[in-house]
Amino acid sequence: MNNNTLPFVRPEIVVEPNRNATAEVQRPLSAFESLYRMGWLRKTVILLVLAAIWEVYGRWLDNALLFPSFSETVQAFLSGLASGVLIERAAVSMQTLLVGYGLGILLAGLLTTVAISSRIGNDLLETLTSMFNPLPAIALLPLALIWFGLGTGSIIFVLVHSVLWAVALNTHGGFRAVSNTLRMVGQNYGLRRFSLVKSILIPAAFPSILTGLKVGWAFAWRTLIAAELVFGVSSGSGGLGWYIFENRNQLETANVFSGLFFVIIIGLVVENLIFAQIEKRTIRRWGMQH
């Protein structure tokens, strides 16, 4: 071996960083991006676009008896509010709705508590929901007429049916999704049946419960209007369904649309204010949803 042979040495390459270039860690949002992040603003824009389409189509059709424009509907709506007729009808509808909705939630809570406590209760709930959940509430109107007559009792009966199964299914599904670890923790503290459901299962399954309450509300609201179209006129209960039916008979199409418009407004308020606040104060505060 030649002692004069030196090992190969790789030359080092040193690259000096560019001190003048600074990375942009966080870019400030533009005005459009800031506005776009506001959910209420996006929804408002969607509603305005739909209202504009409604107005354009109504003016193009030029037949108020068939399809009044958005401005004509708003004018009829404001007239109904000023006269107090719409407020009175809505109050009657909401009073009936709250009774039926509350009874449906109460029965759903009892059923799911029994179902989560024993196998027989679980089989009972699964059997009842598979039987009655696919049955439309409107299909029970003839039976309600026979059993309760023309009146509020018939409407409350179909409301309970429309609320009960939606809330029970979602609540039971939420209870079953609760981990066994949480259940055993509650049982180690001596919690049984109702106390276990109240202290452990309801807080852990509240996202599913809230979903059931939303679905039950939507079912109950549209069932109420449909039931009042049948029972409201005959019984004189005077809800929003009666208002719509009465104006349809008088060919006051703008008032019919204003009644439907009020139904939509109440639904939007309940969904985006009441349920949104409940979700904000519970699920999001507890870190169960982002």
Side-chain angles (χ1 to χ4, degrees):
M1 178 180 296
N2 190 357
N3 294 330
N4 295 330
T5 303
L6 297 176
F8 174 77
V9 178
R10 185 177 62 182
E12 295 186 0
I13 301 176
V14 179
V15 179
E16 293 291 335
N18 188 1
R19 302 292 183 180
N20 296 328
T22 57
E24 187 177 29
V25 178
Q26 184 175 4
R27 180 179 61 85
L29 297 176
S30 64
F32 175 78
E33 291 173 332
S34 299
L35 293 176
Y36 187 76
R37 290 195 171 195
M38 300 179 182
W40 65 268
L41 184 59
R42 297 195 304 269
K43 294 178 181 179
T44 302
V45 172
I46 293 174
L47 293 176
L48 292 176
V49 171
L50 293 176
I53 295 174
W54 181 353
E55 179 70 20
V56 170
Y57 180 73
R59 290 182 179 274
W60 174 80
L61 193 62
D62 195 21
N63 189 347
L65 183 63
L66 182 62
F67 192 90
S69 64
F70 179 75
S71 58
E72 292 172 334
T73 301
V74 171
Q75 183 178 359
F77 174 71
L78 295 177
S79 299
L81 291 180
S83 63
V85 176
L86 276 176
I87 299 297
E88 180 183 354
R89 299 291 190 268
V92 173
S93 294
M94 292 303 297
Q95 182 179 0
T96 306
L97 177 66
L98 291 177
V99 174
Y101 189 62
L103 288 175
I105 293 174
L106 179 61
L107 291 176
L110 293 176
L111 272 177
T112 50
T113 301
V114 173
I116 209 68
S117 302
S118 63
R119 292 184 178 180
I120 295 296
N122 181 75
D123 295 339
L124 174 64
L125 178 60
E126 290 183 353
T127 303
L128 291 178
T129 51
S130 62
M131 290 171 56
F132 295 111
N133 189 44
L135 186 64
I138 300 300
L140 295 177
L141 289 178
L143 287 178
L145 174 62
I146 296 173
W147 293 341
F148 302 100
L150 292 172
T152 307
S154 300
I155 300 177
I156 291 177
F157 174 76
V158 295
L159 286 179
V160 170
H161 172 78
S162 63
V163 174
L164 172 59
W165 311 114
V167 177
L169 276 175
N170 283 273
T171 303
H172 187 240
F175 285 173
R176 296 181 64 178
V178 177
S179 66
N180 290 327
T181 303
L182 286 177
R183 296 172 187 268
M184 290 186 290
V185 168
Q187 292 171 355
N188 289 337
Y189 278 95
L191 301 179
R192 296 293 184 274
R193 295 184 181 272
F194 289 98
S195 57
L196 179 67
V197 171
K198 176 184 176 182
S199 302
I200 300 296
L201 297 182
I202 290 180
F206 197 75
S208 297
I209 296 174
L210 185 59
T211 300
L213 294 176
K214 289 181 180 181
V215 175
W217 153 259
F219 285 175
W221 187 225
R222 66 189 186 187
T223 300
L224 172 66
I225 301 302
E228 284 183 342
L229 288 172
V230 177
F231 294 113
V233 179
S234 302
S235 65
S237 60
L240 278 174
W242 183 12
Y243 179 82
I244 295 170
F245 187 88
E246 187 179 39
N247 283 278
R248 195 270 296 177
N249 287 339
Q250 298 174 1
L251 296 180
E252 296 289 344
T253 312
N255 289 335
V256 173
F257 272 70
S258 68
L260 296 173
F261 186 65
F262 202 17
V263 171
I264 293 173
I265 289 177
I266 293 175
L268 289 174
V269 169
V270 172
E271 178 69 26
N272 293 284
L273 290 182
I274 297 179
F275 281 119
Q277 285 299 317
I278 294 176
E279 181 178 349
K280 181 179 179 181
R281 295 178 181 274
T282 55
I283 297 176
R284 294 185 180 179
R285 178 176 292 182
W286 298 340
M288 304 173 72
Q289 180 179 351
H290 299 287

